[in-house]
Structures are given as C-alpha cells and as structure tokens.
Amino acid sequence: NAIWTPINFAIFTGALKFIDLLENVFDIFAGISDVTYNGSKDFLLNVFFKNNVINRVFWSVTLIALAILIVFTIIAIIKNMSNLDAKQTNGQILGMSFKAMLILFIIPFMSLILLNLSSTILRKTSEIITLTQAGESNATLGTLTFLTFTMDAAREDEYNQDAMLTDELRAPYMSGKKDYAINGMNDFAIEKINYLLAFTVCAVMIFIIILCAVVFIVKIFEVLILYITSPFFVATAVLDGGTKFKEWGKMFIAKLLGGFGMVIVMKLFFIISPIVMSDKVVFSQSPLANMLTKTLFLIGGLWAAYKSGNLIIQIININAAYQEAG
C-alpha cells in the first residue's frame, strides 16, 4: 500500500488533468468558452460566421440564388397563365417572389441572431446548473470526478458525515482555490479511493468527451453548410410555396440546439454521481455487487450525456434527430 497507493493516486490525478484539458477543448467546440481571433474574443462558430471569406461565399451564392429566383418566377407565371384552374394570380406569385428576395438579404442577420441566442441560452443554462450545484463554482470535470470518488474519504471524519460539495473541506476545490493534484493527498485519505472503479470511469469519460467534441465539430460544419446554401432554398419559394425553406429553417435551428442535451446531462451527471458514490447509497450487501452497480451507473450516466445530444432535436426536427442518432 505504501508503494502502490501514491502511484495509483498519481495516475488517477494525471488522468483527471487530461480530462480537464479535454473539457477545455469540448467547451471551445460547444461554444461555452471563447476563442481569440484578430485580438477579439468570440465563440468559435461566430468567428466563422463573421469571417470575410465565408461572407464572400455566402453573398456569391445569394447572387446565384437571386438569378434562379427570377427564372423560377418567370416559369411560375408562365405555368400559371397556361393553367385555367390556377389557384394563384400572377400578382400573388410576384408578391411571393419579392418576399423571397427580401428574405435572401435578411438571412445573414437572422442567422447571426439565432446563433448568438442559442449560444447565450447554452451558456446561461450551464452556469445555472453549475451554480445550483455549488454556489461559487469554478470546478472542472476533473475536480468533480475527484470529489465524487472521495465523498467518504476525508481525513477528518466530520467531513465524511453528510458530505457535500459545499462543505468547508470541499468548497475550496469547487471554487478553484485548491488543486486536487496538489492538496488532495493532505485533505483526503487516498488509500480509501477505489482506484479500479476510478480508472474505469476515467477511461470511459475520456472516450465520451472525445466523442462529444467530435459531435460539436460536425455540428459546426453542418451549420455552416446550411447557412451558405440557404439562398437556394429561398429561391424555390415561388414553386413550392416556401415548403423547402421552412424545412431548412427547422433543420438550421435543430442543428444550432443540437448539443444542449449533451451539455445539460453532463452537468446533471456530476450533481447525481457524488450521491451515488457515497456510502449512504447501498445497492447490495455484497461489496463486489455494490461496486459493480455503482460502476455501471457512472458509465451509464456518461453514456446518457453522449446519447442525449439529439434529445432536444427530436422536438424540433425528427429527421435531424435520426441523423444525429445514426
């Protein structure tokens, strides 16, 4: 124990530091943390939307779509004139065409508003859950994981009774004033940590965070593709009454809100996991079965965070949800 406990603790905290690094990467791709571009800070997707090259491509596509819209308008009028039972007048077709032209020039501004609104909602929701979890909190995933596995391992027994993330021992870790890798060995009996369970959960967590980050990277490209190609869907409004553009709008909003469930469930997971890991919750009288149950619960919670990425999308656009699930 004298040899292996410090080694296991070093491996454990090293894995947690790597998780903290992955969390920073994840926050950048999710739009929770800002990046610096040309001296100003902004979230990553907004940086791309404001990029001059992206804007030039968008307006070039808009000009092409405008030409297509004019052609489609002429086709719709000719088709309407040749149909004696036409339900639309030429004036209505021209009105729809002018409306589509107006939408072509409004799209970039509306897209930026929706983009910033979705990012603000995501950030505020994440902050609310974190603050609800523990008042003043700058806790990283690594810190929360460490405190989860040491809920009953405080060196002073008084902090093992009714242990909370906001008590005097753990609050400095939650606020970032103490570092688990530096101070953890002094405040907690590290020999009580279940390292087999800890290593398993860390490995799954690293895998899940990488998967979640990849999902957000894909989302960035999908949102950009939908944004750049949006004028083409507007141009078809005179032929299909705006059906395709409405589908585009639902898909665009669904992609913007794609990661909400993932972030929220990940935050909720770290509210519930300390409760499960404490000695107050006993699933079985068998120590092995109890440990196995807690391991499965933690792994299942992490997997739920990944799978819940399309939870909100299902309400907005079921086709987008099926795509995310695939």
Side-chain angles (χ1 to χ4, degrees):
N1 286 336
I3 297 174
W4 283 107
T5 297
I7 294 175
N8 287 332
F9 183 75
I11 296 172
F12 180 42
T13 53
L16 295 180
K17 287 296 181 182
F18 184 59
I19 289 172
D20 287 342
L21 177 63
L22 289 177
E23 182 189 9
N24 292 332
V25 174
F26 172 80
D27 287 347
I28 290 171
F29 290 131
I32 299 174
S33 297
D34 289 333
V35 297
T36 303
Y37 180 73
N38 284 339
S40 59
K41 289 188 175 182
D42 209 339
F43 61 96
L44 186 59
L45 192 53
N46 212 20
V47 169
F48 293 138
F49 265 71
K50 293 178 180 179
N51 184 268
N52 292 330
V53 177
I54 297 293
N55 286 325
R56 282 199 297 269
V57 172
F58 174 81
W59 288 114
S60 298
V61 172
T62 301
L63 291 175
I64 297 172
L66 185 61
I68 294 173
L69 176 60
I70 294 172
V71 173
F72 282 169
T73 302
I74 295 171
I75 293 172
I77 291 174
I78 294 173
K79 183 179 178 181
N80 189 65
M81 291 174 65
S82 62
N83 187 1
L84 298 177
D85 297 326
K87 296 180 181 180
Q88 284 184 318
T89 64
N90 291 338
Q92 289 175 326
I93 294 174
L94 287 173
M96 188 175 293
S97 179
F98 285 121
K99 182 180 178 181
M101 289 181 186
L102 182 62
I103 292 174
L104 282 175
F105 294 98
I106 291 177
I107 280 179
F109 305 104
M110 290 301 299
S111 297
L112 279 174
I113 291 172
L114 289 172
L115 181 64
N116 283 275
L117 181 62
S118 66
S119 177
T120 301
I121 293 173
L122 179 61
R123 292 185 182 201
K124 292 302 179 183
T125 304
S126 176
E127 288 176 8
I128 288 170
I129 296 175
T130 303
L131 290 173
T132 302
Q133 179 175 286
E136 176 195 357
S137 176
N138 294 314
T140 63
L141 289 182
T143 300
L144 289 168
T145 306
F146 176 81
L147 294 178
T148 297
F149 280 95
T150 55
M151 291 304 288
D152 299 296
R155 290 197 180 277
E156 298 182 27
D157 288 335
E158 61 180 297
Y159 295 115
N160 292 326
Q161 306 298 323
D162 298 323
M164 297 177 62
L165 295 175
T166 52
D167 60 33
E168 292 182 2
L169 176 67
R170 296 169 179 87
Y173 290 92
M174 292 296 294
S175 63
K177 295 176 181 177
K178 282 189 175 183
D179 189 321
Y180 56 84
I182 299 173
N183 309 106
M185 193 176 292
N186 296 326
D187 293 333
F188 298 94
I190 61 173
E191 64 275 5
K192 293 183 179 180
I193 298 174
N194 188 327
Y195 289 105
L196 178 61
L197 178 57
F199 293 154
T200 303
V201 170
C202 284
V204 174
M205 191 178 296
I206 290 169
F207 177 68
I208 294 295
I209 295 173
I210 292 173
L211 282 180
C212 292
V214 170
V215 168
F216 275 101
I217 294 170
V218 173
K219 189 192 81 167
I220 288 173
F221 282 97
E222 288 176 338
V223 170
L224 286 173
I225 290 170
L226 287 172
Y227 172 67
I228 291 173
T229 58
S230 59
F232 292 133
F233 297 99
V234 178
T236 63
V238 292
L239 296 180
D240 61 8
T243 302
K244 291 296 181 185
F245 180 65
K246 289 177 182 177
E247 291 180 5
W248 172 89
K250 290 181 181 179
M251 182 66 77
F252 187 75
I253 294 173
K255 291 299 181 181
L256 284 179
L257 301 178
F260 274 42
M262 193 178 294
V263 174
I264 293 170
V265 173
M266 184 70 79
K267 297 290 183 180
L268 289 174
F269 169 77
F270 283 104
I271 295 177
I272 298 172
S273 56
I275 301 172
V276 175
M277 289 302 297
S278 67
D279 286 340
K280 297 187 179 88
V281 178
V282 179
F283 294 101
S284 173
Q285 296 303 316
S286 169
L288 181 60
N290 193 50
M291 184 189 74
L292 180 61
T293 305
K294 292 187 177 187
T295 304
L296 290 175
F297 181 89
L298 293 177
I299 293 174
L302 290 169
W303 186 248
Y306 170 67
K307 295 299 290 183
S308 61
N310 68 343
L311 191 63
I312 296 176
I313 302 180
Q314 293 177 19
I315 303 172
I316 303 169
N317 190 314
I318 192 65
N319 292 326
Y322 283 139
Q323 182 187 7
E324 292 284 339

